[in-house]
Amino acid sequence: MDKLLLGNEAVAAGLLESGCRFVSSYPGTPSTEITERAAEYGFYCEWAPNEKVALEGAVAAAVAGARAFSGMKHVGLNVAADPLFTASYTGINGGLVVAVADDPGMHSSQNEQDSRHYALAAKLPMLEPADSEECRVYTKTAFELSERFDTPVLLRLSTRVSHSRSPATRGQPQDMPLREYKKDASKYVMMPAMARARHIAAEERMKALRDYCETTPLNGITWGSERKIGVVASGIAYQTAREALGDGVSYMKLGMVYPLPAESLRRFASQVDELWVIEELDDFIEAHCRQHGIKTRGKAELSPLGEYSVPQLRRAVFGADEDTARATPPVAVPGRPPALCPGCPHRGVFYVLAKRKVTVFGDIGCYTLAAAPPLSAMDYCLCMGASVSGLHGFLKARPEAAENSVAVIGDSTFMHSGITGLLNAVYNNSPVTVLILDNSTTGMTGHQQNPATGLTLKNEPAPALDIAALCAALGVRRVCGVDPYDMKAFGVVLARELAAPEPSVIIAKRPCVLLKHVKKGAFFTLDREKCSDCGLCLKLGCPALKKGEIDGTLCAGCGLCAAVCGRSAIVGRAL
Amino acid sequence: MTNIVIAGVGGQGSLLASKILGYLYMSKGRQVKVSEVHGMSQRGGSVVTTVRAGEVVRSPLVTPGEADMLIALERLEALRWHYMLGRGGTLVASTQTIPPMTVITGTGVYPEERPEGVWLDALECARKAGSVRAANIAALGAASAFLEFGREEWLSALDALLPEPLREVNKKALLLGAEAASEYKKGSTSTGTK
């Protein structure tokens, strides 16, 4: 029987069946499980501190003759864009596949950029699977194309492909011997003289790929019962379109989304009365059609925002009002946004920051949730690492803000791209106050190891980065540590460091309460006699606390509520 | 085509419940797609997963108004996702309440409204079985009374998908949930209020 695999798990299976020898990635929803699953197989897999480092490692492993892989989320590819663009010139030796998982609808991301533009801009072929079996098969095809055309190949995923389960078969693991490595500076040393020649090679390769994409079996047509409407689609949008529009319509499914076939599209267009392009986010395929004078309908009547739904496509294509009476979500039901977990070590820090009305430059991680009420303790959050560098820029523009502004960044995010920001602040003399929330894991993506945890992706012992020593080495003279459960102590340290006229780092260290080895405290209880319903404890934003009650099944025993209660109405033994 | 929606609060185990259903339909030789939620919304947010089974399944998502069954692991989530159900669809819901942050902070009110359906105290079933963590499986047990799989199939699905130490307690929870539903079928448990 086929197994029900996540798209990401199926990509990992494809790596095994391709004889992949090297995987380096940084976690990011919705891409994380590819690398987690791959690590269960025998070949080398690692978490790198960020996507740039990961991809650089993968490119060089491919140059060494190994089949190599790097997986990341869409915004991760921005970080890795530098090596990506020039690896397009060097080409590879062993096959190189780079998976990039987009997040239309922003289920767990700060933007919904369309990664297909990277294929065009970096001159790289891009495949896009539409279910788990295709994830597995396309991964293998991507390695073959990589070696055939001497190019990195992009594998574009999206949330609903990565995080949906569908049946996938399993092939045989393949052992791919290392290809021979020969020194070849004209190919692998990219300085102007060599790069000019390699640019020519890249353009020639794209020309060959443009021919290939006209005949590849990755692209195919399913004729409907009528030829009135033709639909061009790929990935999850193809599935939604087929679901919505049924078998009366003809479909051209593109498994290769770059380069795009001009002739095949033109032929398909000529065989139907009306051509629709159904693609989420940008009009990438449609723009290509326009460029080649192929008349299409699509983006103008649909949307560049979010994911497409079945009723939305039926309305647009069939003009049907059949769906107007369809069920809609209730308006009056209170929302349930995600929140910091009970016992989360970040909570106390943000409670103190909110109480003191500190301007907070936040970053990407669980702690971004502190931006939501009731803590509402964040002023700014842009991208990985931008808390530290952002605070620096803010203070150069408004020096007087230094006495009441902080940057807040998690341990994994700090190592990802906070270090250079801190270096910049020291170098350029910014009196930044940086809080590193060290919860000993990469939390939001589901607990991955990182260079400070002392373990590798495969749970083997590794040197653990001493974050305090690193900050000192960067030139920060004021580095101190604090237990984030001790809000009083943290408040004292915070006031002192905000007042300091030079860069300072406060490391608030306590492991994520969801980690298996972390002991939770006994749950706290509320003395109804003493409670005056003042609501002070509710300002902590703890899911275990509600008016007049502590939910013992949720409480993790951190004791923050007892610490803020002015009437000693909350009792228990704090950890 | 069978369309099932599982709604709950991040951390309640809707992912596992959907995985079990997917496994069962696969065992029946149906094509299956399951849509999951990972990442940010898992942190105590409203989490909805979908299971679709049939001859050919295209989209992994259930279209609003077309679900045959909604399994809600929490009362407010039953209300929030009730619109997904089609005419004649079945709601199986746990009476457990987890106030969202909007209610805790007083900007929202936890609604009293309870759509009509099969309500069970899944938390209590799980407690009786030996672990409150098994409330998701108790709710699944209640749903089993309305689905096509036999008891043995359910139990072997748990064997296949759970690590050994968790199997017994979850099997117990499943059976207690199924019992609660069959009592409902006899007409003795509460239906909803509107």
Side-chain angles (χ1 to χ4, degrees):
Chain A
M1 186 172 86
D2 287 358
K3 279 191 88 172
L4 213 47
L5 294 188
L6 281 180
N8 284 348
E9 293 172 341
V11 172
L15 295 177
L16 179 68
E17 293 167 25
S18 301
C20 183
R21 284 170 172 268
F22 178 95
V23 172
S24 185
S25 306
Y26 182 80
T29 313
S31 72
T32 313
E33 298 81 6
I34 304 172
T35 302
E36 287 184 318
R37 287 299 159 273
E40 293 167 9
Y41 304 133
F43 50 91
Y44 181 79
C45 294
E46 67 179 21
W47 290 128
N50 68 32
E51 295 85 352
K52 179 177 187 286
V53 173
L55 181 55
E56 287 159 351
V59 171
V63 167
R67 284 193 164 182
F69 172 86
S70 184
M72 57 201 72
K73 67 184 292 172
H74 57 320
V75 286
L77 191 55
N78 301 340
V79 179
D82 198 359
L84 184 79
F85 276 68
T86 306
S88 168
Y89 282 19
T90 63
I92 47 85
N93 180 19
L96 173 63
V97 176
V98 181
V100 52
D102 284 3
D103 189 15
M106 291 178 274
H107 299 276
S108 199
S109 303
Q110 67 270 38
N111 78 23
E112 53 181 343
Q113 69 187 44
D114 188 330
S115 294
R116 293 177 298 176
H117 297 293
Y118 272 109
L120 189 149
K123 303 175 193 296
L124 294 172
M126 178 181 256
L127 310 188
E128 183 172 27
D131 61 23
S132 297
E133 176 63 4
E134 286 188 1
C135 281
R136 185 184 71 87
V137 174
Y138 283 23
T139 301
K140 295 166 75 169
T141 309
F143 276 110
E144 286 156 18
L145 291 178
S146 173
E147 288 170 0
R148 176 169 161 195
F149 290 95
D150 188 11
T151 177
V153 175
L154 293 164
L155 186 72
R156 188 207 189 203
L157 307 166
S158 62
T159 297
R160 300 299 184 185
V161 168
S162 285
H163 286 163
S164 289
R165 289 181 187 277
S166 60
T169 52
R170 294 298 300 272
Q172 283 301 314
Q174 196 185 170
D175 185 33
M176 284 295 282
L178 275 181
R179 289 181 161 207
E180 190 191 356
Y181 168 74
K182 272 197 275 196
K183 177 172 174 173
D184 183 356
S186 66
K187 189 169 189 293
Y188 298 127
V189 180
M190 284 301 93
M191 51 200 288
M194 287 84 138
R196 282 186 202 109
R198 291 306 304 173
H199 186 184
I200 296 169
E203 295 297 342
E204 278 169 359
R205 176 186 73 218
M206 284 316 295
K207 194 166 165 288
L209 277 160
R210 274 192 290 274
D211 290 339
Y212 170 82
C213 78
E214 297 286 359
T215 54
T216 173
L218 290 163
N219 301 333
I221 295 173
T222 307
W223 293 106
S225 50
E226 289 180 59
R227 300 214 173 171
K228 259 167 74 180
I229 295 171
V231 169
V232 179
S234 70
I236 195 64
Y238 167 76
Q239 304 288 13
T240 315
R242 280 206 76 164
E243 180 84 33
L245 309 176
D247 293 334
V249 168
S250 298
Y251 299 89
M252 183 169 178
K253 178 184 181 295
L254 299 176
M256 187 169 203
V257 289
Y258 195 77
L260 287 162
E263 281 321 305
S264 309
L265 282 164
R266 198 191 313 280
R267 208 176 317 121
F268 183 58
S270 72
Q271 288 166 306
V272 295
D273 295 348
E274 187 174 89
L275 187 68
W276 278 78
V277 178
I278 294 180
E279 52 187 331
E280 289 174 348
L281 304 179
D282 296 339
D283 55 348
F284 186 80
I285 300 171
E286 218 179 350
H288 176 81
C289 290
R290 265 201 309 275
Q291 199 187 339
H292 289 274
I294 302 165
K295 224 179 132 208
T296 55
R297 294 178 73 180
K299 200 53 75 183
E301 287 143 288
L302 287 157
S303 170
L305 313 177
E307 301 178 292
Y308 288 163
S309 72
V310 164
Q312 178 186 13
L313 294 186
R314 282 188 191 140
R315 267 197 303 274
V317 179
F318 294 149
D321 37 3
E322 51 166 331
D323 294 307
T324 48
R326 216 166 264 284
T328 44
V331 219
V333 172
R336 190 188 297 276
L340 294 175
C341 304
C344 176
H346 303 326
R347 177 171 285 106
V349 168
F350 287 101
Y351 180 81
V352 172
L353 292 172
K355 206 171 154 197
R356 293 178 178 230
K357 298 189 168 46
V358 174
T359 300
V360 177
F361 282 72
D363 223 300
I364 309 283
C366 285
Y367 45 93
T368 320
L369 295 172
L375 288 165
S376 306
M378 204 165 285
D379 294 69
Y380 181 88
C381 177
L382 187 68
C383 63
M384 295 285 283
S387 56
V388 187
S389 41
L391 176 60
H392 162 75
F394 194 83
L395 296 186
K396 286 296 176 190
R398 305 182 77 92
E400 71 282 2
E403 60 195 43
N404 204 36
S405 303
V406 297
V408 179
I409 188 167
D411 49 338
S412 189
T413 310
F414 177 69
M415 287 175 280
H416 178 282
S417 46
I419 297 170
T420 45
L422 185 57
L423 178 63
N424 186 47
V426 172
Y427 173 48
N428 288 304
N429 192 25
S430 262
V432 293
T433 303
V434 177
L435 311 182
I436 299 176
L437 307 185
D438 181 1
N439 65 350
S440 312
T441 189
T442 313
M444 183 60 95
T445 42
H447 297 126
Q448 289 74 31
Q449 304 295 350
N450 67 45
T453 62
L455 289 170
T456 66
L457 166 60
K458 297 204 177 196
N459 280 318
E460 284 150 3
L465 171 72
D466 182 338
I467 294 176
L470 173 71
C471 295
L474 292 173
V476 182
R477 290 185 300 181
R478 306 180 65 92
V479 182
C480 62
V482 66
D483 177 359
Y485 275 1
D486 189 346
M487 292 188 288
K488 214 170 181 179
F490 170 63
V492 172
V493 169
L494 176 68
R496 189 186 71 208
E497 297 308 322
L498 280 171
E502 62 177 297
S504 48
V505 170
I506 305 169
I507 302 170
K509 188 173 171 73
R510 193 172 255 281
C512 171
V513 73
L514 298 184
L515 287 170
K516 279 201 183 99
H517 66 264
V518 173
K519 252 181 83 184
K520 290 188 182 188
F523 64 86
F524 278 56
T525 51
L526 182 71
D527 185 341
R528 288 293 309 148
E529 299 287 301
K530 288 187 185 166
C531 175
S532 66
D533 273 342
C534 71
L536 199 59
C537 57
L538 301 180
K539 294 200 168 130
L540 285 162
C542 177
L545 279 173
K546 47 191 161 177
K547 210 158 196 155
E549 196 187 333
I550 295 172
D551 186 334
T553 65
L554 294 175
C555 176
C558 72
L560 293 192
C561 53
V564 301
C565 180
R567 300 174 67 94
S568 310
I570 300 173
V571 284
R573 203 171 47 186
L575 277 171
Chain B
M1 179 80 75
T2 308
N3 292 312
I4 300 178
V5 175
I6 302 166
V9 177
Q12 277 194 302
S14 29
L15 239 58
L16 176 62
S18 56
K19 212 169 152 182
I20 292 169
L21 285 172
Y23 178 89
L24 284 164
Y25 282 111
M26 276 285 281
S27 316
K28 284 275 189 206
R30 315 268 292 275
Q31 216 206 73
V32 177
K33 284 192 180 169
V34 178
S35 166
E36 301 187 350
V37 177
H38 297 242
M40 185 177 255
S41 43
Q42 277 189 298
R43 299 275 172 264
S46 171
V47 168
V48 67
T49 62
T50 60
V51 181
R52 308 191 72 210
E55 284 300 307
V56 182
V57 183
R58 303 284 179 197
S59 169
L61 301 178
V62 173
T63 300
E66 290 184 3
D68 302 293
M69 177 178 275
L70 168 63
I71 303 171
L73 305 178
E74 199 268 352
R75 203 178 90 191
L76 172 57
E77 297 311 308
L79 189 60
R80 185 189 316 284
W81 297 103
H82 190 254
Y83 77 99
M84 296 294 290
L85 275 179
R87 232 172 261 124
T90 310
L91 167 69
V92 175
S94 169
T95 52
Q96 186 181 357
T97 60
I98 303 174
M101 205 43 70
T102 45
V103 169
I104 290 173
T105 58
T107 56
V109 176
Y110 196 100
E112 284 305 315
E113 189 187 339
R114 214 166 89 158
E116 200 169 306
V118 183
W119 288 88
L120 80 154
D121 191 340
L123 200 59
E124 185 52 32
C125 292
R127 207 171 272 134
K128 270 193 210 153
S131 164
V132 289
R133 308 273 310 148
N136 55 342
I137 306 301
L140 212 50
S144 74
F146 303 88
L147 296 171
E148 62 195 81
F149 314 105
R151 173 170 296 197
E152 286 315 307
E153 289 172 281
W154 283 98
L155 296 180
S156 66
L158 294 182
D159 279 333
L161 295 174
L162 288 174
E164 210 284 319
L166 299 180
R167 284 179 198 157
E168 275 322 298
V169 59
N170 279 288
K171 283 180 183 175
K172 265 191 211 160
L174 185 97
L175 297 177
L176 286 167
E179 215 172 278
S182 61
E183 267 169 44
Y184 163 85
K185 269 186 161 174
K186 283 187 245 149
S188 61
T189 340
S190 69
T191 55
T193 55
K194 259 210 163 159

